[in-house]
Amino acid sequence: MERLTTPKYYAAASVLLPCAAVLIWPSKVWLTAVFLIWIIAAAGFWIRLERKEYEERSERTIHSLQSSAIRTLNHHRHDWMNDLQVLYGYIRLQKLDKTVDYMEKIREKMGNESSIGRLGSPSLVSFIQSFRTMTNALELEVDVKGEIQLSEFAGDCDKIADTLIHTINAYRFATKPGHGAVATLRVELSKDSGALYAAFYYEGELMNEQQWKQKIQQQLEGAPMQPINFEHPYSKVLLKAELRA
């Protein structure tokens, strides 16, 4: 990107030369004409490079999204292959009771993934589904109780989604990596007749609990979801957003 930015500034700076000439010899009509032509040429050059920069940024963004989607699909494919192998093993061993139990487990997982997909926020759904491609230090589990549409609640749908994403990321960046069990963050989304609730249950260690708490408080300032009680330790945080009037 810098290889395109530098020529743009050189082109803009080059206008100073004919400008100075016009100021020194204002009576020279041909200098004024050269100045105008120079400005038009520099502007055209700037616009052309701006377009090229935009195209390159778009290409990088598309490539990044495609790579993220491929990694997410690979993770999901790996999970489903594991489930199929377990089922196949139970069937071969003729353990029908365990086969039925495991099928029920798969059914519940599919139902929850379907509920996540209907939350109404592409950014939040994409974030949850691709979370495993972002870190190996924290495992995220999201449980949606019933049918939830974020647009039903007070505050912009995207702002509610951003609050959830920022809170999850606060845990992700604060998680203390270790050689033992992977830290787990379980997020339960539920609602009643008047509000949306997001409960965060964390199992693991944080690098600095005080910094984590300050980060959470900063991110919740002015957010549509507010903590019901922030006196609990980091292992449990409960947020609430009111239903639209």
Side-chain angles (χ1 to χ4, degrees):
M1 190 64 66
E2 186 177 351
R3 65 184 180 81
L4 296 179
T5 302
T6 302
K8 283 197 310 182
Y9 289 126
Y10 280 148
S14 69
V15 176
L16 296 175
L17 181 62
C19 178
V22 170
L23 292 175
I24 295 173
W25 297 288
S27 60
K28 303 292 185 181
V29 177
W30 66 271
L31 279 178
T32 303
V34 169
F35 177 53
L36 293 175
I37 295 172
W38 199 304
I39 288 179
I40 294 172
F45 184 71
W46 180 286
I47 292 171
R48 186 165 63 88
L49 291 184
E50 277 284 323
R51 289 177 178 172
K52 193 167 184 178
E53 280 187 346
Y54 174 77
E55 291 173 358
E56 291 186 359
R57 284 196 298 268
S58 298
E59 288 177 3
R60 285 198 298 272
T61 300
I62 292 171
H63 179 73
S64 177
L65 291 173
Q66 290 172 338
S67 298
S68 177
I70 290 171
R71 289 195 299 270
T72 301
L73 288 173
N74 284 338
H75 275 279
H76 284 285
R77 178 181 57 81
H78 179 73
D79 288 345
W80 287 115
M81 286 299 296
N82 286 342
D83 288 335
L84 288 175
Q85 288 174 358
V86 172
L87 278 175
Y88 181 65
Y90 285 150
I91 293 171
R92 286 194 61 184
L93 296 172
Q94 297 184 351
K95 295 184 176 181
L96 297 183
D97 55 336
K98 288 192 175 293
T99 301
V100 173
D101 290 342
Y102 203 80
M103 281 297 298
E104 182 63 22
K105 178 183 175 181
I106 293 176
R107 188 189 69 80
E108 290 177 358
K109 184 169 72 172
M110 291 179 63
N112 188 58
E113 289 185 355
S114 179
S115 296
I116 291 173
R118 291 195 294 270
L119 286 173
S121 170
S123 62
L124 179 61
V125 174
S126 176
F127 176 80
I128 293 172
Q129 292 180 341
S130 62
F131 187 82
R132 283 175 296 175
T133 67
M134 303 176 191
T135 178
N136 294 320
L138 179 64
E139 181 178 334
L140 176 65
E141 300 174 1
V142 179
D143 186 12
V144 180
K145 306 293 186 181
E147 293 294 323
I148 295 178
Q149 275 280 340
L150 299 185
S151 58
E152 299 175 4
F153 302 93
D156 186 87
C157 172
D158 291 334
K159 290 182 179 179
I160 294 177
D162 287 343
T163 301
L164 295 173
I165 291 172
H166 291 328
T167 304
I168 293 171
N169 274 332
Y171 279 102
R172 175 164 73 100
F173 295 130
T175 296
K176 184 177 182 180
H179 302 288
V182 176
T184 302
L185 176 63
R186 182 163 56 90
V187 182
E188 290 186 0
L189 299 178
S190 59
K191 69 175 183 177
D192 58 20
S193 58
L196 167 71
Y197 300 92
F200 297 80
Y201 301 98
Y202 180 78
E203 295 181 8
E205 295 183 48
L206 298 180
M207 290 184 289
N208 189 310
E209 182 178 350
Q210 187 60 32
Q211 287 183 359
W212 166 86
K213 189 170 185 177
Q214 291 175 353
K215 187 70 173 178
I216 290 288
Q217 289 173 329
Q218 290 173 359
Q219 291 172 347
L220 293 179
E221 289 182 2
M225 300 198 77
Q226 289 296 311
I228 294 178
N229 188 340
F230 205 53
E231 298 306 318
H232 290 286
Y234 60 83
S235 58
K236 181 180 178 181
V237 173
L238 183 60
L239 306 180
K240 176 182 177 182
E242 299 293 337
L243 190 65
R244 285 185 183 275

PDB file of all heavy atoms in Angstrom, residues 19 41 49-50 58 72 82 95 108 119 127 133 139 143 149 153 156 159 204 213 232:
ATOM      1  N   CYS A  19       2.622  26.479  -8.775  1.00  0.00           N
ATOM      2  CA  CYS A  19       1.905  27.444  -7.940  1.00  0.00           C
ATOM      3  C   CYS A  19       2.837  28.597  -7.556  1.00  0.00           C
ATOM      4  O   CYS A  19       2.451  29.776  -7.610  1.00  0.00           O
ATOM      5  CB  CYS A  19       1.355  26.745  -6.697  1.00  0.00           C
ATOM      6  SG  CYS A  19       0.490  27.848  -5.555  1.00  0.00           S
ATOM      7  N   ALA A  41      -3.727  17.240 -14.100  1.00  0.00           N
ATOM      8  CA  ALA A  41      -2.945  16.009 -14.262  1.00  0.00           C
ATOM      9  C   ALA A  41      -2.664  15.355 -12.910  1.00  0.00           C
ATOM     10  O   ALA A  41      -2.787  14.137 -12.752  1.00  0.00           O
ATOM     11  CB  ALA A  41      -1.637  16.315 -14.995  1.00  0.00           C
ATOM     12  N   LEU A  49      -4.631   6.396  -8.602  1.00  0.00           N
ATOM     13  CA  LEU A  49      -3.978   5.622  -7.556  1.00  0.00           C
ATOM     14  C   LEU A  49      -4.942   5.288  -6.422  1.00  0.00           C
ATOM     15  O   LEU A  49      -4.848   4.216  -5.813  1.00  0.00           O
ATOM     16  CB  LEU A  49      -2.766   6.390  -7.012  1.00  0.00           C
ATOM     17  CG  LEU A  49      -1.583   6.534  -7.966  1.00  0.00           C
ATOM     18  CD1 LEU A  49      -0.420   7.235  -7.271  1.00  0.00           C
ATOM     19  CD2 LEU A  49      -1.108   5.162  -8.468  1.00  0.00           C
ATOM     20  N   GLU A  50      -5.872   6.211  -6.132  1.00  0.00           N
ATOM     21  CA  GLU A  50      -6.886   5.946  -5.103  1.00  0.00           C
ATOM     22  C   GLU A  50      -7.729   4.738  -5.496  1.00  0.00           C
ATOM     23  O   GLU A  50      -8.031   3.873  -4.661  1.00  0.00           O
ATOM     24  CB  GLU A  50      -7.792   7.169  -4.932  1.00  0.00           C
ATOM     25  CG  GLU A  50      -7.219   8.244  -4.021  1.00  0.00           C
ATOM     26  CD  GLU A  50      -7.320   7.850  -2.546  1.00  0.00           C
ATOM     27  OE1 GLU A  50      -8.323   7.225  -2.154  1.00  0.00           O
ATOM     28  OE2 GLU A  50      -6.369   8.150  -1.804  1.00  0.00           O
ATOM     29  N   SER A  58      -9.863  -4.123  -1.432  1.00  0.00           N
ATOM     30  CA  SER A  58     -11.017  -5.007  -1.617  1.00  0.00           C
ATOM     31  C   SER A  58     -10.568  -6.441  -1.862  1.00  0.00           C
ATOM     32  O   SER A  58     -11.153  -7.387  -1.312  1.00  0.00           O
ATOM     33  CB  SER A  58     -11.872  -4.524  -2.796  1.00  0.00           C
ATOM     34  OG  SER A  58     -12.382  -3.233  -2.548  1.00  0.00           O
ATOM     35  N   THR A  72     -13.212 -22.099   8.683  1.00  0.00           N
ATOM     36  CA  THR A  72     -14.411 -22.423   9.459  1.00  0.00           C
ATOM     37  C   THR A  72     -15.067 -23.692   8.941  1.00  0.00           C
ATOM     38  O   THR A  72     -15.450 -24.571   9.723  1.00  0.00           O
ATOM     39  CB  THR A  72     -15.415 -21.251   9.388  1.00  0.00           C
ATOM     40  OG1 THR A  72     -14.802 -20.072   9.912  1.00  0.00           O
ATOM     41  CG2 THR A  72     -16.664 -21.558  10.190  1.00  0.00           C
ATOM     42  N   ASN A  82     -15.969 -36.531  12.946  1.00  0.00           N
ATOM     43  CA  ASN A  82     -15.805 -37.181  14.250  1.00  0.00           C
ATOM     44  C   ASN A  82     -17.123 -37.785  14.730  1.00  0.00           C
ATOM     45  O   ASN A  82     -17.162 -38.911  15.248  1.00  0.00           O
ATOM     46  CB  ASN A  82     -15.281 -36.182  15.283  1.00  0.00           C
ATOM     47  CG  ASN A  82     -13.814 -35.850  15.092  1.00  0.00           C
ATOM     48  OD1 ASN A  82     -13.090 -36.578  14.424  1.00  0.00           O
ATOM     49  ND2 ASN A  82     -13.388 -34.746  15.663  1.00  0.00           N
ATOM     50  N   LYS A  95     -24.342 -51.254  19.560  1.00  0.00           N
ATOM     51  CA  LYS A  95     -24.764 -50.578  20.793  1.00  0.00           C
ATOM     52  C   LYS A  95     -25.851 -49.572  20.427  1.00  0.00           C
ATOM     53  O   LYS A  95     -25.608 -48.370  20.331  1.00  0.00           O
ATOM     54  CB  LYS A  95     -23.573 -49.888  21.455  1.00  0.00           C
ATOM     55  CG  LYS A  95     -22.511 -50.854  21.952  1.00  0.00           C
ATOM     56  CD  LYS A  95     -21.399 -50.118  22.688  1.00  0.00           C
ATOM     57  CE  LYS A  95     -20.377 -51.094  23.265  1.00  0.00           C
ATOM     58  NZ  LYS A  95     -19.302 -50.395  24.006  1.00  0.00           N
ATOM     59  N   GLU A 108     -29.525 -32.100  19.130  1.00  0.00           N
ATOM     60  CA  GLU A 108     -29.510 -30.903  19.976  1.00  0.00           C
ATOM     61  C   GLU A 108     -28.476 -29.898  19.473  1.00  0.00           C
ATOM     62  O   GLU A 108     -28.726 -28.688  19.470  1.00  0.00           O
ATOM     63  CB  GLU A 108     -29.201 -31.302  21.415  1.00  0.00           C
ATOM     64  CG  GLU A 108     -30.319 -32.080  22.105  1.00  0.00           C
ATOM     65  CD  GLU A 108     -29.953 -32.507  23.498  1.00  0.00           C
ATOM     66  OE1 GLU A 108     -28.793 -32.233  23.923  1.00  0.00           O
ATOM     67  OE2 GLU A 108     -30.795 -33.127  24.183  1.00  0.00           O
ATOM     68  N   LEU A 119     -30.125 -15.546  14.887  1.00  0.00           N
ATOM     69  CA  LEU A 119     -30.023 -14.423  15.831  1.00  0.00           C
ATOM     70  C   LEU A 119     -30.261 -13.076  15.161  1.00  0.00           C
ATOM     71  O   LEU A 119     -30.605 -12.098  15.828  1.00  0.00           O
ATOM     72  CB  LEU A 119     -28.640 -14.422  16.501  1.00  0.00           C
ATOM     73  CG  LEU A 119     -28.409 -15.509  17.555  1.00  0.00           C
ATOM     74  CD1 LEU A 119     -26.950 -15.511  18.018  1.00  0.00           C
ATOM     75  CD2 LEU A 119     -29.337 -15.314  18.750  1.00  0.00           C
ATOM     76  N   PHE A 127     -18.888 -14.509  13.685  1.00  0.00           N
ATOM     77  CA  PHE A 127     -17.886 -14.517  14.756  1.00  0.00           C
ATOM     78  C   PHE A 127     -17.956 -15.816  15.558  1.00  0.00           C
ATOM     79  O   PHE A 127     -16.929 -16.449  15.828  1.00  0.00           O
ATOM     80  CB  PHE A 127     -18.109 -13.317  15.670  1.00  0.00           C
ATOM     81  CG  PHE A 127     -17.193 -13.269  16.860  1.00  0.00           C
ATOM     82  CD1 PHE A 127     -15.889 -12.802  16.734  1.00  0.00           C
ATOM     83  CD2 PHE A 127     -17.623 -13.701  18.103  1.00  0.00           C
ATOM     84  CE1 PHE A 127     -15.036 -12.767  17.825  1.00  0.00           C
ATOM     85  CE2 PHE A 127     -16.787 -13.669  19.199  1.00  0.00           C
ATOM     86  CZ  PHE A 127     -15.488 -13.201  19.069  1.00  0.00           C
ATOM     87  N   THR A 133     -11.209 -20.743  14.741  1.00  0.00           N
ATOM     88  CA  THR A 133     -10.082 -20.448  13.861  1.00  0.00           C
ATOM     89  C   THR A 133      -9.234 -19.301  14.406  1.00  0.00           C
ATOM     90  O   THR A 133      -8.167 -19.021  13.859  1.00  0.00           O
ATOM     91  CB  THR A 133     -10.587 -20.070  12.450  1.00  0.00           C
ATOM     92  OG1 THR A 133     -11.301 -18.827  12.516  1.00  0.00           O
ATOM     93  CG2 THR A 133     -11.511 -21.145  11.899  1.00  0.00           C
ATOM     94  N   GLU A 139     -11.982 -22.178  24.421  1.00  0.00           N
ATOM     95  CA  GLU A 139     -13.063 -22.867  23.721  1.00  0.00           C
ATOM     96  C   GLU A 139     -14.375 -22.145  24.021  1.00  0.00           C
ATOM     97  O   GLU A 139     -14.708 -21.905  25.178  1.00  0.00           O
ATOM     98  CB  GLU A 139     -13.151 -24.321  24.183  1.00  0.00           C
ATOM     99  CG  GLU A 139     -14.229 -25.123  23.482  1.00  0.00           C
ATOM    100  CD  GLU A 139     -14.264 -26.577  23.914  1.00  0.00           C
ATOM    101  OE1 GLU A 139     -13.201 -27.084  24.340  1.00  0.00           O
ATOM    102  OE2 GLU A 139     -15.340 -27.190  23.837  1.00  0.00           O
ATOM    103  N   ASP A 143     -24.997 -21.276  23.817  1.00  0.00           N
ATOM    104  CA  ASP A 143     -26.269 -21.983  23.956  1.00  0.00           C
ATOM    105  C   ASP A 143     -27.406 -20.962  23.875  1.00  0.00           C
ATOM    106  O   ASP A 143     -27.510 -20.066  24.719  1.00  0.00           O
ATOM    107  CB  ASP A 143     -26.303 -22.718  25.301  1.00  0.00           C
ATOM    108  CG  ASP A 143     -27.553 -23.585  25.442  1.00  0.00           C
ATOM    109  OD1 ASP A 143     -28.245 -23.793  24.433  1.00  0.00           O
ATOM    110  OD2 ASP A 143     -27.811 -24.062  26.563  1.00  0.00           O
ATOM    111  N   GLN A 149     -34.346 -13.134  18.405  1.00  0.00           N
ATOM    112  CA  GLN A 149     -33.999 -12.179  17.351  1.00  0.00           C
ATOM    113  C   GLN A 149     -33.508 -10.907  18.035  1.00  0.00           C
ATOM    114  O   GLN A 149     -34.258 -10.270  18.778  1.00  0.00           O
ATOM    115  CB  GLN A 149     -35.218 -11.875  16.475  1.00  0.00           C
ATOM    116  CG  GLN A 149     -35.444 -12.866  15.359  1.00  0.00           C
ATOM    117  CD  GLN A 149     -34.541 -12.607  14.170  1.00  0.00           C
ATOM    118  OE1 GLN A 149     -34.019 -11.515  14.000  1.00  0.00           O
ATOM    119  NE2 GLN A 149     -34.346 -13.626  13.351  1.00  0.00           N
ATOM    120  N   PHE A 153     -34.966  -6.211  20.649  1.00  0.00           N
ATOM    121  CA  PHE A 153     -34.607  -5.564  21.896  1.00  0.00           C
ATOM    122  C   PHE A 153     -34.149  -4.124  21.686  1.00  0.00           C
ATOM    123  O   PHE A 153     -33.712  -3.739  20.601  1.00  0.00           O
ATOM    124  CB  PHE A 153     -33.523  -6.380  22.604  1.00  0.00           C
ATOM    125  CG  PHE A 153     -33.972  -7.784  22.872  1.00  0.00           C
ATOM    126  CD1 PHE A 153     -33.699  -8.800  21.964  1.00  0.00           C
ATOM    127  CD2 PHE A 153     -34.707  -8.086  24.003  1.00  0.00           C
ATOM    128  CE1 PHE A 153     -34.148 -10.093  22.182  1.00  0.00           C
ATOM    129  CE2 PHE A 153     -35.150  -9.373  24.230  1.00  0.00           C
ATOM    130  CZ  PHE A 153     -34.882 -10.376  23.322  1.00  0.00           C
ATOM    131  N   ASP A 156     -29.718  -0.748  18.894  1.00  0.00           N
ATOM    132  CA  ASP A 156     -29.477  -1.273  17.559  1.00  0.00           C
ATOM    133  C   ASP A 156     -29.019  -2.725  17.636  1.00  0.00           C
ATOM    134  O   ASP A 156     -28.217  -3.088  18.487  1.00  0.00           O
ATOM    135  CB  ASP A 156     -28.415  -0.412  16.871  1.00  0.00           C
ATOM    136  CG  ASP A 156     -28.233  -0.816  15.423  1.00  0.00           C
ATOM    137  OD1 ASP A 156     -28.964  -0.297  14.577  1.00  0.00           O
ATOM    138  OD2 ASP A 156     -27.364  -1.659  15.168  1.00  0.00           O
ATOM    139  N   LYS A 159     -25.385  -3.103  17.581  1.00  0.00           N
ATOM    140  CA  LYS A 159     -24.720  -2.684  18.812  1.00  0.00           C
ATOM    141  C   LYS A 159     -24.800  -3.776  19.878  1.00  0.00           C
ATOM    142  O   LYS A 159     -23.857  -3.975  20.648  1.00  0.00           O
ATOM    143  CB  LYS A 159     -25.340  -1.391  19.327  1.00  0.00           C
ATOM    144  CG  LYS A 159     -25.028  -0.175  18.460  1.00  0.00           C
ATOM    145  CD  LYS A 159     -25.624   1.085  19.044  1.00  0.00           C
ATOM    146  CE  LYS A 159     -25.288   2.301  18.175  1.00  0.00           C
ATOM    147  NZ  LYS A 159     -25.879   3.546  18.715  1.00  0.00           N
ATOM    148  N   GLY A 204     -11.323 -21.276  33.761  1.00  0.00           N
ATOM    149  CA  GLY A 204      -9.922 -21.111  33.377  1.00  0.00           C
ATOM    150  C   GLY A 204      -9.290 -19.997  34.192  1.00  0.00           C
ATOM    151  O   GLY A 204      -9.865 -19.511  35.169  1.00  0.00           O
ATOM    152  N   LYS A 213     -11.360  -6.720  34.023  1.00  0.00           N
ATOM    153  CA  LYS A 213     -12.540  -6.036  34.541  1.00  0.00           C
ATOM    154  C   LYS A 213     -12.630  -4.614  34.009  1.00  0.00           C
ATOM    155  O   LYS A 213     -13.705  -4.149  33.605  1.00  0.00           O
ATOM    156  CB  LYS A 213     -12.515  -6.021  36.065  1.00  0.00           C
ATOM    157  CG  LYS A 213     -13.815  -5.518  36.695  1.00  0.00           C
ATOM    158  CD  LYS A 213     -13.827  -5.743  38.193  1.00  0.00           C
ATOM    159  CE  LYS A 213     -15.175  -5.340  38.783  1.00  0.00           C
ATOM    160  NZ  LYS A 213     -15.255  -5.608  40.235  1.00  0.00           N
ATOM    161  N   HIS A 232     -19.678 -10.155  40.838  1.00  0.00           N
ATOM    162  CA  HIS A 232     -19.213 -11.532  40.783  1.00  0.00           C
ATOM    163  C   HIS A 232     -17.796 -11.576  40.229  1.00  0.00           C
ATOM    164  O   HIS A 232     -17.361 -10.670  39.517  1.00  0.00           O
ATOM    165  CB  HIS A 232     -20.133 -12.376  39.890  1.00  0.00           C
ATOM    166  CG  HIS A 232     -21.485 -12.614  40.483  1.00  0.00           C
ATOM    167  ND1 HIS A 232     -21.708 -13.480  41.524  1.00  0.00           N
ATOM    168  CD2 HIS A 232     -22.697 -12.096  40.172  1.00  0.00           C
ATOM    169  CE1 HIS A 232     -22.997 -13.486  41.833  1.00  0.00           C
ATOM    170  NE2 HIS A 232     -23.617 -12.646  41.025  1.00  0.00           N
TER     171      HIS A 232
END
